[in-house]
Amino acid sequence: MSSAIPTVDDLRAAIRNVPDFPKPGIQFKDITPVLGDPRLFSAAIDLLTANWSAGSVDAVAGVDARGFIFAAAAALKLNAAFVPIRKQGKLPWKTLEESYELEYGSSTLAIHADAVKPGDRVLLVDDLLATGGTALAAARLIQRLEATVVEAAFLIELEFLKGREKLTGLPLHSVVTY
Ligand code: AMP
C-alpha cells in the first residue's frame, strides 16, 4: 500500500477469507486485519460514513458484536450517540426485543427502551450484510422506538445472499461487496 489514503480495493485486499469457519461451507470474512492497521481502520470508518457529516444523525446504532467496533468509531466521527443493539439477556435495563430466523434456529436482539427518542435520525451499522435477518431485526427495534433509520451501512455485503431484498424501504450503503 502506498502513502495515499487507502481505497476500497485496499480494504478488500486486507479482509481475510477464512473457509469453513465457524462451520463447513461458510466463507468467513475476517475484519481483524483492517482493525490492526489504523490507516485501514480509519479509511473504513470514512467510507462507511461517506454519506453523513458531523451532526447529521442523532445516533449510530451498532449490532453485537463486530458492529460495535465500527459503529462506536462512526458515532465519535459524526458527533452522535452510540447505541448498542445486543444479543438477548445482555442489556441491564428495560428492553425491547426482536427475534429473527437464522439458517438453523433463531436469535433475539434487544435495545434499551430509552436508547433513542421518537423522531431521532439513526444510522444503523454492522460489519457485514449476509441474508439481512440481523439488520432487519435491528432496524425494527429502532423503528419500534419511533426513530428513523436514515441508512443501514455495512463494511461488507455478500450480494449473492440477497440481504438487500429483505431490507426494502431502508436506504443501504455497503463499502466492500462480494
Ligand atoms: P445476516 O443476518 O445473515 O445478514 O448475517 C449478518 C450477521 O452475521 C453480521 O452481524 C455478521 O457479523 C455475521 N456474518 C454472517 N455471515 C458472515 C460471514 N460470511 N463472515 C463474517 N460474518 C458473517
Side-chain angles (χ1 to χ4, degrees), residues 17 26-29 128-131 154 156-164 174 176-178:
N17 191 67
I26 304 290
Q27 303 283 327
F28 192 86
K29 301 298 182 200
L128 183 145
L129 173 62
T131 66
F154 306 89
I156 301 166
E157 178 177 356
L158 304 182
E159 289 181 328
F160 54 92
L161 292 176
K162 303 189 188 310
R164 254 172 206 270
S174 50
V176 184
T177 56
Y178 293 89

Side-chain angles (χ1 to χ4, degrees), residues 67-152:
F68 290 171
I69 300 164
F70 297 98
L76 286 177
K77 185 188 169 204
L78 298 178
N79 194 27
F82 168 67
V83 171
I85 294 181
R86 297 214 62 179
K87 302 271 167 61
Q88 186 180 38
K90 301 289 186 187
L91 287 170
W93 195 64
K94 190 179 165 195
T95 58
L96 276 69
E97 295 185 348
E98 192 77 38
S99 296
Y100 60 103
E101 298 306 312
L102 297 171
E103 194 180 354
Y104 299 103
S106 66
S107 187
T108 302
L109 290 177
I111 193 170
H112 267 157
D114 64 351
V116 293
K117 298 187 301 300
D120 274 357
R121 293 163 53 78
V122 182
L123 176 63
L124 175 61
V125 167
D126 202 359
D127 66 325
L128 183 145
L129 173 62
T131 66
T134 306
L136 182 61
R140 281 193 178 142
L141 287 171
I142 295 162
Q143 290 163 345
R144 281 169 58 194
L145 291 173
E146 297 174 42
T148 302
V149 180
V150 293
E151 183 180 79

